Amino acid sequence: MMNEEEIQVLIDKSKKQDMTAFALLVTEYRQLVFRLAFRLLCNEEEARDMVQETFIKVWLNLDKYNREYRFSTWLYKITGNICYDRLRFLQHTPSGSMQGPSVDNLSLSSDENMEQSLINKDLKNLILRFTEELTPKQKLVFTLREVEGLEVSEVEAITGMSAEKIKSNLYQARKQIRMKINQMENNL
């Protein structure tokens, strides 16, 4: 993983049309962009498309990058906006339903932990499934804050929403997910 200084050097070179430097930036951040896109869209093919769109947009707008923010924050913002637009489009399309995510990369270390790990995996799958039913704004805020673990200030910079709006969307998202889990438990 590169430090912020090395990233800034690559950004400066990329601004001068250095494709090799830009390729290094893409390599450094491709997983971060894919992870966010996949968590928001819950579809591998859609996520791959969003990665390409994100880096095309980054290349075309490098001159607008503000060094005041970390480059990763700017990338989250671009990725989040592209995915948010895609979610809104899919929400209004009759065939807009996408496949649910799969969380199969959970490692099971020992027999004692196996049961707890399976319970955690099932809960994680449920939460990811229930995020699909959130509004695009709630899903974006919930994913950035709860799944990606970003601070409210970073979510503000990425989404352009106020802290109050973020907390409100986060509260509504958590409430809806909790309600769905409770309904499921009551049906068991």
Side-chain angles (χ1 to χ4, degrees):
M1 186 136 215
M2 292 185 216
N3 65 37
E4 204 58 34
E5 208 172 283
E6 293 168 314
I7 298 298
Q8 292 303 325
V9 168
L10 290 177
I11 292 167
D12 291 339
K13 288 180 178 181
S14 296
K15 284 180 178 181
K16 296 174 184 163
Q17 308 298 306
D18 183 331
M19 295 297 278
T20 305
F22 189 71
L24 290 170
L25 283 174
V26 171
T27 301
E28 180 74 13
Y29 288 104
R30 181 178 39 228
Q31 284 304 107
L32 175 142
V33 171
F34 177 80
R35 188 178 65 232
L36 177 60
F38 182 75
R39 286 177 173 162
L40 288 170
L41 299 169
C42 302
N43 179 291
E44 192 173 335
E45 194 174 311
E46 287 279 345
R48 289 186 199 288
D49 289 346
M50 297 305 106
V51 169
Q52 285 183 328
E53 268 191 61
T54 296
F55 284 109
I56 289 169
K57 194 164 192 167
V58 166
W59 176 254
L60 296 173
N61 293 287
L62 264 174
D63 56 320
K64 295 177 184 164
Y65 167 65
N66 182 349
R67 288 176 180 267
E68 206 175 292
Y69 300 104
R70 290 191 339 220
F71 187 68
S72 59
T73 301
W74 191 59
L75 267 177
Y76 272 121
K77 181 175 186 147
I78 292 170
T79 307
N81 287 339
I82 287 172
C83 291
Y84 177 71
D85 290 344
R86 186 69 183 148
L87 281 169
R88 285 190 11 235
F89 170 79
L90 291 169
Q91 200 174 43
H92 299 328
T93 310
S95 62
S97 63
M98 295 184 285
Q99 281 182 312
S102 145
V103 185
D104 292 329
N105 59 353
L106 188 67
S107 62
L108 303 174
S109 51
S110 69
D111 287 341
E112 301 99 45
N113 294 334
M114 188 176 289
E115 185 177 353
Q116 190 60 47
S117 292
L118 287 172
I119 290 168
N120 289 343
K121 180 181 171 186
D122 287 344
L123 183 59
K124 189 173 181 179
N125 276 325
L126 272 178
I127 290 171
L128 287 173
R129 193 176 85 206
F130 293 147
T131 62
E132 290 179 47
E133 299 169 20
L134 299 173
T135 68
K137 251 185 210 173
Q138 289 171 350
K139 187 172 188 176
L140 178 62
V141 170
F142 182 84
T143 302
L144 290 172
R145 184 77 177 101
E146 298 297 332
V147 181
E148 292 293 318
L150 299 180
E151 296 297 322
V152 173
S153 59
E154 284 182 291
V155 178
E156 278 181 286
I158 292 165
T159 63
M161 292 183 211
S162 67
E164 293 76 30
K165 192 84 171 156
I166 290 166
K167 289 174 184 174
S168 170
N169 276 287
L170 194 54
Y171 171 78
Q172 291 300 325
R174 288 175 180 156
K175 183 177 165 185
Q176 190 169 340
I177 290 170
R178 216 176 2 258
M179 187 180 73
K180 300 269 185 206
I181 290 172
N182 289 340
Q183 281 176 347
M184 242 186 74
E185 287 175 351
N186 291 337
N187 291 336
L188 293 179

